[in-house]
Amino acid sequence: MEKVKTLTRNNNSAGSAHIAKDTPAQFVKGVGPARARMLERLGIKTLEDMLFCFPWRYEDRKDLKKICDLRYGNTETTICEVVSSGIITTPKKRMKIFELTVTDKTGYLKSRWFNQPYLERYFKKGQKVILSGVVKGNPYSMTGAEMENPDYELVGDEDTFIHTSRMVPVYKATEGISPKQVRTIMFNVVNNCSSIIEDYLPAGVLERNSLIPLQKAVKEAHFPEEFTDAAALNQGISPAHRRLAFDEFFLLELGLAVLKKRETIEEGISFEDKGVLVTRFLQVLPFELTAAQKRVIAEIRQDMRRPLPMNRLVHGDVGCGKTVVALASMLIAVENGYQACLMAPTELLAEQHFINIHRMVEASGVNIALVTSGSKGKSGDMAQGTAQIAIGTHALIQEHVKFRKLGLAIIDEQHRFGVVQRADLRRKGSSPDILIMTATPIPRTLALTLYGDLDISIIDELPSGRKPIITKVFFSSQKEKVLSLIKEELSGGRQIYIVYPLIEESEKLDLKSAVEGFEAFKRIFPERKIGLVHGRIPRDEREDVMAKFKAGEIDILVATTVIEVGIDVPNASVMLVVHAERFGLAQLHQLRGRIGRGGHDSHCLLMAYPPFGEEAKRRLKAMESTCDGFRLAEEDLDIRGPGDFFGTRQSGIPDLKIANIVRDIKLLEAARREAFDIIEAGPDLGSYPLLKETLMKKWMGRLELIKS
Ligand code: ADP
Ligand code: MG
């Protein structure tokens, strides 16, 4: 093993006087307009974006191996001398291949590059080079070892090794720009421009948490020092990663702390607890509330009585009965002369809620309006106050929708953070109470930290009399079994859901579409009534089909995932999911939650089409093994990694790129404490102007600081 002098790491800041954080990437050395357009596809617009676009992994290319020691199949790095080179053209496809043969006296190594004939200019006989790549070729053949498209570096006078003989960062490439080109650009950026990075964290925070300076962390995360532990880098736990992860958490929690603080100083509505409407409503309910439902309603009542705005998250697995809890809360607002609204994520679900809730409060004479993008006419009812309860989709937060006196806003089935939607809803009234209902189960410690600005209630009990759901995976070859099970249930008077992943046949992925399935099932069960719903069917028609299914006039409902949440038909006892291998775990659990609501045994049939990957296999197995949403959530976290678990991008809160909520939970807790302490001491961040600026930028204008 031989060691080559490591690169000269001179921080050459000369000529960087006119650069700033928001300098467009185009003007950064080595980029230019064409590459800037490509970088933009990676979400990179400015110099700062570039500096904070970190490699996704690292390759240890420090160990220079002798050719005789190269191991077949490994990624290896070797230093050697050019023996010969030349271009060959393949006879059929006329592809140009540049071939290079090198030696280090212990053996020969042949390398090939495809369609890069210009490489011929670089390599002259006798030139010393470093090559790094996967060792291929038959190790026992006469030709010796081979590499395809290895990274290379000429050993010259300057010895500035970027791609080899060091801990090499590997960046995500994009069309038209190779990982190697990205690396070269990043090397220049890091060396010439990292001086623009200013440390915004208060010194005390750095000290208490043993964090390294930000500038150093950024440099190290791109081009690590020689002796950095490769494993630590790749696991994202090196000191550099630790600092960067801390900052992501800290800026997230700081924003949450501001939101939480605002609630404690804003004046809210103090509802009187008359209990007349609620009592009347509970009396006409055909069932007794579960103990968990009663407890949560009591917690909400207490919040609503207090003169502070309520901000509560109600968490409960599918089918635990959150709608009733929502309705009871809305009735408290209504009998105090206020309006209440319930926002659902889809039109279908809004319609369902509308129908159900309408039925439940009809007798009390409460006025309800449905607000979706297709029903704008109703908005007058809310402005005048004739509608006491509004149920709708995102249409509720549109500009033109006005309430006369909104006292309570509920967001149902909130899979995401929804911090931004919450703020929008809040503006529809004057500090209305906010209630969020979610079935997305997340481990409690994470909930506390991430939904940190909310109080949490948990409905941890299903209504009694629920029969367990039997879940089984079938392969496409076992169609007959599935059909006979469906037939059996149909003759027992039950109804069936059949869910498909797409609406129409897609040429690209050969998926079975709902439309096609609808036709097929009509042929298989000619004597049965079959309905079809998906997102492109007009609302009236959809409503009609759903109503008929609910009334038992339709036996089989073929659908896409529009029915994922909230649909409630107790007589339906079978959920068949076609192409189950393509669904996410949370989605499958949601779908399964549509059945098992009556007193019948229910079956969730997951039809899978091999071949599929390891992850899909684990998902299906998990579904078979448990109905517990919490356990599935943990499994999901384990399978997917926490990266996209929360889907933060859509929600308007800062991204977590380096930080990992599971791996870095301790860091998250520490960041949270620091953030909340700072806001407690001075909510306007007056003593930390740089931190303030960074925070506002991170939250992209969605955060308003509290003036003190
Ligand atoms: P989710 O929490 O998934 O939104 P829903 O509110 O849709 O659940 O309730 C699921 C079903 O359970 C509905 O049919 C509802 O009427 C029924 N339900 C709710 N609470 C109870 C209860 N305490 N006892 C019996 N059935 C209940
Ligand atoms: Mg629900």
Side-chain angles (χ1 to χ4, degrees):
M1 219 186 287
E2 189 179 343
K3 196 124 231 160
V4 169
K5 203 172 97 196
T6 35
L7 83 161
T8 43
R9 202 188 287 263
N10 52 342
N11 191 351
N12 171 15
S13 49
S16 58
H18 50 278
I19 54 164
K21 285 181 197 167
D22 51 5
T23 299
Q26 170 183 356
F27 302 120
V28 172
K29 189 181 161 206
V31 181
R35 280 182 174 171
R37 274 194 300 278
M38 293 166 194
L39 288 176
E40 204 163 336
R41 267 185 245 141
L42 297 173
I44 297 171
K45 294 197 187 93
T46 65
L47 173 59
E48 189 178 28
D49 292 342
M50 290 183 80
L51 283 165
F52 283 85
C53 172
F54 296 106
W56 64 286
R57 66 186 178 91
Y58 302 83
E59 267 180 24
D60 189 348
R61 299 183 187 168
K62 286 194 300 261
D63 288 350
L64 298 177
K65 293 270 178 70
K66 295 246 190 305
I67 290 180
C68 66
D69 293 331
L70 295 184
R71 276 197 299 162
Y72 181 74
N74 281 9
T75 300
E76 307 265 39
T77 305
T78 180
I79 181 163
C80 35
E81 210 167 274
V82 175
V83 178
S84 66
S85 67
I87 291 173
I88 51 171
T89 309
T90 58
K92 265 199 198 143
K93 293 195 178 155
R94 313 293 307 162
M95 191 199 282
K96 283 192 159 59
I97 301 175
F98 174 67
E99 268 194 350
L100 180 75
T101 305
V102 296
T103 183
D104 65 353
K105 306 274 172 359
T106 77
Y108 287 90
L109 169 68
K110 193 175 261 182
S111 302
R112 293 193 186 86
W113 287 266
F114 300 92
N115 289 325
Q116 299 176 54
Y118 55 86
L119 288 178
E120 199 175 14
R121 274 180 281 139
Y122 290 106
F123 300 96
K124 300 282 177 255
K125 190 169 158 47
Q127 166 75 52
K128 272 202 152 188
V129 297
I130 295 174
L131 298 172
S132 183
V134 179
V135 180
K136 289 192 174 166
N138 183 347
Y140 307 109
S141 81
M142 290 296 290
T143 44
E146 295 181 4
M147 287 181 182
E148 269 175 25
N149 285 315
D151 271 345
Y152 59 88
E153 219 140 27
L154 305 183
V155 182
D157 292 335
E158 287 179 22
D159 285 354
T160 313
F161 300 117
I162 302 176
H163 310 289
T164 58
S165 68
R166 59 164 16 261
M167 192 66 75
V168 174
V170 183
Y171 296 91
K172 286 252 154 57
T174 178
E175 207 186 315
I177 184 162
S178 70
K180 187 169 172 180
Q181 285 166 327
V182 177
R183 192 183 301 132
T184 308
I185 295 170
M186 292 310 292
F187 186 77
N188 289 324
V189 171
V190 170
N191 276 309
N192 300 328
C193 311
S194 20
S195 58
I196 62 153
I197 297 170
E198 299 166 283
D199 214 320
Y200 45 77
L201 280 192
V205 175
L206 289 181
E207 222 167 274
R208 278 190 295 279
N209 299 282
S210 320
L211 299 170
I212 65 171
L214 187 56
Q215 210 181 97
K216 185 175 156 79
V218 169
K219 283 180 166 181
E220 285 289 303
H222 284 288
F223 291 90
E225 292 281 3
E226 193 178 354
F227 296 108
T228 317
D229 180 6
L233 283 168
N234 276 316
Q235 289 160 29
I237 54 172
S238 73
H241 287 95
R242 205 173 156 270
R243 165 70 206 255
L244 297 169
F246 183 92
D247 284 30
E248 287 182 352
F249 285 144
F250 182 76
L251 292 168
L252 167 65
E253 293 293 336
L254 201 60
L256 293 177
V258 170
L259 292 171
K260 176 108 187 165
K261 182 78 187 169
R262 179 179 297 284
E263 282 146 22
T264 60
I265 57 173
E266 242 174 43
E267 204 168 319
I269 307 159
S270 173
F271 293 98
E272 254 181 77
D273 194 357
K274 300 178 185 156
V276 183
L277 269 183
V278 180
T279 312
R280 204 184 307 159
F281 157 65
L282 293 180
Q283 270 164 0
V284 300
L285 265 190
F287 46 73
E288 174 84 356
L289 292 183
T290 63
Q293 283 171 318
K294 285 182 187 159
R295 177 176 34 98
V296 171
I297 291 177
E299 284 165 356
I300 293 168
R301 271 188 162 153
Q302 204 167 18
D303 275 5
M304 290 183 74
R305 265 202 301 263
R306 285 188 318 174
L308 298 172
M310 168 169 76
N311 254 292
R312 187 167 283 278
L313 177 82
V314 172
H315 175 256
D317 212 345
V318 277
C320 71
K322 293 185 289 292
T323 315
V324 175
V325 172
L327 187 48
S329 323
M330 291 199 285
L331 291 176
I332 297 176
V334 168
E335 73 177 357
N336 276 271
Y338 283 86
Q339 291 167 296
C341 71
L342 174 61
M343 185 166 92
T346 67
E347 274 196 20
L348 199 65
L349 185 52
E351 288 157 17
Q352 277 280 308
H353 274 320
F354 177 72
I355 295 165
N356 289 341
I357 290 177
H358 190 267
R359 205 188 44 217
M360 287 195 268
V361 298
E362 213 169 10
S364 321
V366 176
N367 229 323
I368 307 187
L370 176 65
V371 184
T372 60
S373 48
S375 61
K376 280 180 192 129
K378 288 274 166 53
S379 52
D381 292 355
M382 270 105 60
Q384 283 147 28
T386 26
Q388 292 154 297
I389 292 180
I391 293 168
T393 56
H394 277 74
L396 280 170
I397 51 179
Q398 282 165 15
E399 202 63 43
H400 68 270
V401 177
K402 300 253 174 350
F403 288 88
R404 195 177 67 82
K405 203 178 172 192
L406 183 66
L408 171 68
I410 303 182
I411 306 179
D412 188 28
E413 306 289 0
Q414 185 69 24
H415 300 252
R416 315 284 186 213
F417 269 85
V419 170
V420 175
Q421 283 109 312
R422 244 192 292 157
D424 289 344
L425 257 185
R426 196 190 307 279
R427 275 193 284 277
K428 294 284 174 194
S430 112
S431 300
D433 281 353
I434 304 271
L435 196 59
I436 293 168
M437 307 265 187
T438 181
T440 306
I442 52 173
R444 191 172 166 83
T445 47
L446 287 181
L448 284 174
T449 338
L450 284 167
Y451 292 98
D453 62 324
L454 297 172
D455 298 307
I456 299 181
S457 292
I458 299 183
I459 308 180
D460 49 5
E461 184 186 355
L462 290 178
S464 62
R466 293 274 162 89
K467 288 277 180 66
I469 301 167
I470 303 143
T471 304
K472 192 155 168 31
V473 175
F474 291 90
F475 294 103
S476 40
S477 55
Q478 301 168 290
K479 270 193 195 106
E480 290 310 316
K481 270 192 191 166
V482 171
L483 289 178
S484 75
L485 216 154
I486 290 179
K487 205 174 249 167
E488 210 171 287
E489 288 292 308
L490 283 171
S491 17
R494 303 285 85 75
Q495 289 162 285
I496 317 285
Y497 289 105
I498 300 175
V499 176
Y500 285 83
L502 279 183
I503 300 173
E504 278 156 25
E505 190 71 28
S506 138
E507 285 175 357
K508 235 172 159 181
L509 310 158
D510 182 30
L511 299 184
K512 301 282 166 285
S513 74
V515 177
E516 211 186 72
F518 174 60
E519 298 300 332
F521 278 99
K522 274 204 291 202
R523 282 194 300 274
I524 300 168
F525 297 108
E527 74 288 4
R528 298 288 177 186
K529 285 243 165 45
I530 305 184
L532 174 68
V533 287
H534 58 67
R536 287 198 220 144
I537 288 180
R539 195 161 70 87
D540 302 356
E541 245 174 83
R542 228 163 51 198
E543 233 173 282
D544 190 47
V545 174
M546 287 308 304
K548 281 192 175 135
F549 188 62
K550 187 143 192 169
E553 291 161 28
I554 286 177
D555 305 301
I556 301 177
L557 184 66
V558 177
T560 55
T561 50
V562 288
I563 62 153
E564 185 184 331
V565 286
I567 308 299
D568 188 31
V569 180
N571 189 49
S573 66
V574 175
M575 167 66 64
L576 168 62
V577 183
V578 184
H579 271 296
E581 79 281 359
R582 302 205 178 251
F583 288 78
L585 203 42
Q587 216 173 12
L588 288 174
H589 181 59
Q590 282 283 345
L591 285 170
R592 179 168 59 186
R594 298 306 106 219
I595 54 169
R597 292 175 167 231
H600 323 284
D601 278 344
S602 294
H603 300 269
C604 176
L605 315 176
L606 304 173
M607 177 86 97
Y609 289 68
F612 45 82
E614 204 48 48
E615 287 188 10
K617 220 174 271 176
R618 281 183 68 185
R619 287 198 297 269
L620 296 173
K621 231 196 182 93
M623 283 296 290
E624 275 187 328
S625 70
T626 182
C627 279
D628 180 334
F630 273 94
R631 275 182 55 198
L632 285 173
E634 270 160 11
E635 183 70 12
D636 203 20
L637 209 58
D638 201 48
I639 296 173
R640 281 206 281 168
D644 54 9
F645 189 74
F646 292 96
T648 53
R649 201 153 297 153
Q650 294 97 318
S651 62
I653 63 149
D655 250 357
L656 301 177
K657 286 195 245 167
I658 300 271
N660 173 321
I661 45 174
V662 176
R663 179 191 67 204
D664 304 323
I665 183 80
K666 284 268 167 342
L667 208 55
L668 172 54
E669 282 161 4
R672 178 176 170 78
R673 270 194 306 275
E674 294 286 3
F676 274 71
D677 284 352
I678 285 184
I679 294 303
E680 198 46 51
D684 66 342
L685 292 176
S687 334
Y688 308 102
L690 199 54
L691 177 58
K692 185 166 156 178
E693 189 193 314
T694 312
L695 178 71
M696 300 316 263
K697 203 162 162 185
K698 261 276 179 187
W699 281 72
M700 292 180 288
R702 281 146 168 161
L703 195 69
E704 226 177 294
L705 283 185
I706 296 157
K707 304 194 175 57
S708 62

